[in-house]
């Protein structure tokens, strides 16, 4: 770039020198009259005057642009500097989270929030910093705030699921898991977590639907899906037996038996069916 500037300067200087030589070799006079005013001058002086007027005009134009655009450029530069400092605080906060230093992470998170007008970038840091310092309410506030951002909602739900499970609130964790499943049913941890929660509280049909979705989306392997489906059918068979529906219990137990080729599991699963068959025969 410096070479280009030097070359341009040399070209301009050479052109000026050639112009000066050309004018010196061609002396002449110029006379101008305007409303009683008369101007007598040489050609060289006239050309110099024109050049001066052009240069002054350019200078005035540049001055005008600087006055008009100066404050905006100044604010833009200040904004860029503020963002740079915000990103630096964000980076240092993430590094503190990785190091397990919750207090340091919270300090950088607060600074990043003030410097950056982008909550999506700072909320996750704030939540993780709060978790490291065992600030459950702070973490919950940050995770809940993420739900308002479309791109951060899924991460917010994952954090809220973990918070609810740590607090022993199985029902709230299940509600958050269902929302996460609606957002991203193809995510493995969502499918497995929702299935486990539904199975633990006896929502067998809902768990079956979740499992079927996992199988369709290839989140759950066929072998594992067959085993889990058989176990669900066994639990549904037991529930039907408790509810006084032996026919349904028998059908479900036999369906589970057909799914598994393992003799030990088959024997275990066929026990309810055999018992129910005996009961019906005796009746």
């Amino acid at each position: 770039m410096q070479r280009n500037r030097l070359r341009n300067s040399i070209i301009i200087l050479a052109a000026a020198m050639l112009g000066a030589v050309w004018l010196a070799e061609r002396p002449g006079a110029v006379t101008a009259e305007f409303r009683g005013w008369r101007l007598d001058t040489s050609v060289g002086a006239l050309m110099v005057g024109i050049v001066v007027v052009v240069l002054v005009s350019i200078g005035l134009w540049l001055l005008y642009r600087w006055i008009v655009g100066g404050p905006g450029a100044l604010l833009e530069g200040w904004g860029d500097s503020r963002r740079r400092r915000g990103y630096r605080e964000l980076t240092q906060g993430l590094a503190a989270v990785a190091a397990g230093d919750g207090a340091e992470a919270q300090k950088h998170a607060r600074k990043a929030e003030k410097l950056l007008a982008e909550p999506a970038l700072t909320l996750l840091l704030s939540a993780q910093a709060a978790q490291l310092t065992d600030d459950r309410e702070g973490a919950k506030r940050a995770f809940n705030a993420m739900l308002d951002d479309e791109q951060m909602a899924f991460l917010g739900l994952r954090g809220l699921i973990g918070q609810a499970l740590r607090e022993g609130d199985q029902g709230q964790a299940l509600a958050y898991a269902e929302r996460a499943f609606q957002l991203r049913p193809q995510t493995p941890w969502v499918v497995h977590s929702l299935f486990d929660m539904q199975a633990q509280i006896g929502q067998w049909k809902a768990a079956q639907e979740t499992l079927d979705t996992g199988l369709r989306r290839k989140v759950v392997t066929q072998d594992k899906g067959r085993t889990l489906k058989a176990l669900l059918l066994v639990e549904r068979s037991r529930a039907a037996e408790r509810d006084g529906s032996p026919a349904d219990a028998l059908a479900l137990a036999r369906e589970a038996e057909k799914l598994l080729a393992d003799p030990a599991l088959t024997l275990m699963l066929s026990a309810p069916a055999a018992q129910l068959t005996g009961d019906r025969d005796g009746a």
Side-chain angles (χ1 to χ4, degrees):
M1 182 176 291
Q2 291 181 348
R3 291 182 179 180
N4 291 336
R5 289 180 180 177
L6 180 61
R7 184 176 64 245
N8 293 336
S9 299
I10 293 174
I11 292 173
I12 293 172
L13 182 60
M17 293 177 63
L18 290 174
V21 171
W22 185 85
L23 289 174
E25 292 178 349
R26 293 169 178 78
V30 176
T31 300
E33 292 185 2
F34 180 73
R35 291 195 169 190
W37 291 85
R38 179 185 177 90
L39 175 65
D40 294 318
T41 185
S42 64
V43 173
L46 179 63
M47 296 300 292
V48 170
I50 293 173
V51 171
V52 170
V53 170
V54 170
L55 292 176
V56 170
S57 300
I58 293 173
L60 291 174
W61 169 248
L62 294 175
L63 179 63
Y64 169 77
R65 287 191 60 184
W66 181 82
I67 292 174
V68 172
L74 183 63
L75 290 174
E76 184 177 353
W78 181 77
D80 289 341
S81 175
R82 183 183 180 88
R83 279 193 296 272
R84 282 195 297 271
R85 287 185 286 131
Y87 286 129
R88 184 167 60 249
E89 294 294 339
L90 185 65
T91 302
Q92 291 175 346
L94 292 173
V97 168
D101 190 343
E104 186 71 12
Q106 280 190 321
K107 182 181 73 174
H108 290 298
R110 286 191 292 268
K111 290 181 179 180
E113 286 176 2
K114 293 178 181 178
L115 293 169
L116 294 174
E118 301 179 54
L121 293 175
T122 57
L123 283 174
L124 182 59
L125 174 59
S126 299
Q128 291 179 328
Q131 285 182 319
L132 284 174
T133 56
D134 202 25
D135 181 6
R136 295 186 178 182
E137 290 302 317
K140 191 177 296 184
R141 283 195 303 271
F143 286 131
N144 274 308
M146 290 184 195
L147 301 184
D148 297 329
D149 187 285
E150 183 177 352
Q151 296 180 344
M152 299 293 292
F154 187 73
L155 285 176
L157 287 169
R158 182 167 192 175
L160 289 170
I161 292 170
Q163 288 288 112
L165 290 176
R166 278 189 288 273
E167 294 172 2
D169 193 343
Q170 188 78 12
Q172 189 63 66
L174 177 60
Y176 288 136
E178 289 172 345
R179 290 177 62 181
F181 182 72
Q182 291 175 355
L183 288 177
R184 296 188 184 178
Q186 75 281 6
T187 304
W189 74 263
V190 175
V191 175
H192 294 302
S193 298
L194 181 58
F195 176 84
D196 290 342
M197 292 179 199
Q198 291 168 332
Q200 286 173 9
I201 62 176
Q203 291 186 359
W204 309 120
K205 289 186 178 180
Q208 179 66 62
E209 293 173 358
T210 302
L211 179 60
D212 291 340
T213 301
L215 287 168
R216 285 197 305 271
R217 295 182 176 271
K218 301 186 185 304
V219 175
V220 180
T221 63
Q222 291 296 325
D223 290 341
K224 185 174 182 180
R226 190 182 305 108
T227 303
L228 291 175
K229 186 174 181 179
L231 293 175
L232 285 175
L233 289 169
V234 170
E235 294 300 333
R236 289 178 61 187
S237 174
R238 291 171 177 168
E241 184 182 5
R242 287 193 299 269
D243 295 338
S245 301
D248 291 340
L250 178 60
L252 290 168
R254 285 178 173 172
E255 188 178 350
E257 183 180 357
K258 293 176 184 178
L259 288 173
L260 295 176
D262 189 327
L265 286 175
T266 301
L267 181 62
M268 178 192 73
L269 296 177
S270 62
Q275 182 181 356
L276 288 169
T277 303
D279 292 343
R280 290 183 64 185
D281 293 340

